[in-house]
Amino acid sequence: METLVVDHPLVAHKLTTLRDVRTDSPTFRRLADELVTLLAYEATRDVRVTDVTVETPVSPAHGVRLAKPQPLVVPILRAGLGMLDGMTRLLPTAEVGFLGMIRNESTLKAETYATRLPDDLSGRQCFVVDPMLATGGTLAAAVQFLFDRGAVDVTAICLLAAPEGLAYMDKVFANSGKPIRVVTAALDERLNENGYIVPGLGDAGDRLYG
Ligand code: PRP
């Protein structure tokens, strides 16, 4: 698995305000939206394209268009919804699938309560969006859903990641043979005894939606 921590002053600036406990929900939503667009720029670096030629007013010009099948964007409900608009702004022709997952706060295990994905993802590149990668249980289950339907590679875009979650993803998918990337704005210190990322930003779903 490949991990990319996006090192950019604008990303760091927006993330710092997101972390701040004094940031209200409307500002949090706007910053999450802006951040995902910056992260998505890096996360889509390997999106598949095909060569095309267009006519400019002057001459033919060689260029590229997104290849078919179009990428699939998968927000993990609920907090991932706060990152969906930022993704579709960058990839307006992408299809969108939904996964509803919640972490049981006693066991820290991910539980799935909704799936609305195409049955056949053969040949598809998938982009999972979820603000937090904590223990990694949620993301691992989401990636497995996509691989089970035939996805060829999965890139996860997370605002924050914990070392424990990345290690868990590495362990679970060590022999999957399929490319997995995690693109994040920051790799934080650790998880606390409640499974929260430290220093983190609190509960992203609550801060987005109350
Ligand atoms: C949060 C977060 C991830 C998950 C991360 O969602 O958005 O989906 O927890 O935890 P993990 O890496 O330990 O599995 P939560 O379960 O709070 O649900 P919500 O989005 O509905 O608030």
Side-chain angles (χ1 to χ4, degrees):
M1 188 183 78
E2 185 191 341
T3 302
L4 174 67
V5 181
V6 176
D7 181 15
H8 191 289
L10 279 182
V11 169
H13 166 80
K14 291 175 195 298
L15 180 61
T16 303
T17 308
L18 268 191
R19 290 186 192 273
D20 191 331
V21 69
R22 296 168 302 178
T23 299
D24 61 12
S25 279
T27 309
F28 193 96
R29 280 198 287 269
R30 178 176 56 76
L31 287 169
D33 180 72
E34 291 173 6
L35 258 179
V36 72
T37 303
L38 294 173
L39 298 181
Y41 177 76
E42 290 294 342
T44 52
R45 195 167 282 286
D46 294 326
V47 72
R48 284 189 316 224
V49 293
T50 50
D51 295 332
V52 295
T53 302
V54 296
E55 293 292 331
T56 78
V58 180
S59 79
H62 301 299
V64 298
R65 290 201 204 281
L66 286 185
K68 294 203 165 97
Q70 294 283 344
L72 181 75
V73 175
V74 182
I76 300 183
L77 311 182
R78 141 190 88 150
L81 272 187
M83 298 171 70
L84 178 58
D85 285 353
M87 276 306 282
T88 53
R89 198 174 303 122
L90 209 65
L91 289 174
T93 55
E95 198 176 349
V96 180
F98 295 89
L99 272 176
M101 307 183 86
I102 186 150
R103 190 176 75 164
N104 181 313
E105 291 302 330
S106 307
T107 64
L108 298 185
K109 300 281 180 224
E111 296 169 3
T112 305
Y113 59 86
T115 54
R116 193 77 169 89
L117 297 170
D119 288 335
D120 183 9
L121 294 178
S122 305
R124 300 288 285 268
Q125 285 185 301
C126 297
F127 293 89
V128 174
V129 292
D130 190 345
M132 314 296 277
L133 200 181
T135 66
T138 303
L139 184 60
V143 170
Q144 194 58 55
F145 264 113
L146 300 172
F147 282 167
D148 287 347
R149 285 167 170 73
V152 290
D153 67 56
V154 178
T155 299
I157 303 175
C158 303
L159 301 183
L160 286 182
E164 293 89 336
L166 291 175
Y168 181 71
M169 288 289 297
D170 261 334
K171 190 176 89 180
V172 171
F173 296 105
N175 300 313
S176 79
K178 293 187 178 183
I180 304 173
R181 292 177 79 214
V182 173
V183 177
T184 184
L187 177 56
D188 272 11
E189 284 168 28
R190 62 184 171 87
L191 296 181
N192 70 12
E193 58 284 5
N194 300 316
Y196 274 68
I197 299 176
V198 179
L201 49 72
D203 184 316
D206 287 354
R207 296 198 65 187
L208 281 163
Y209 301 119

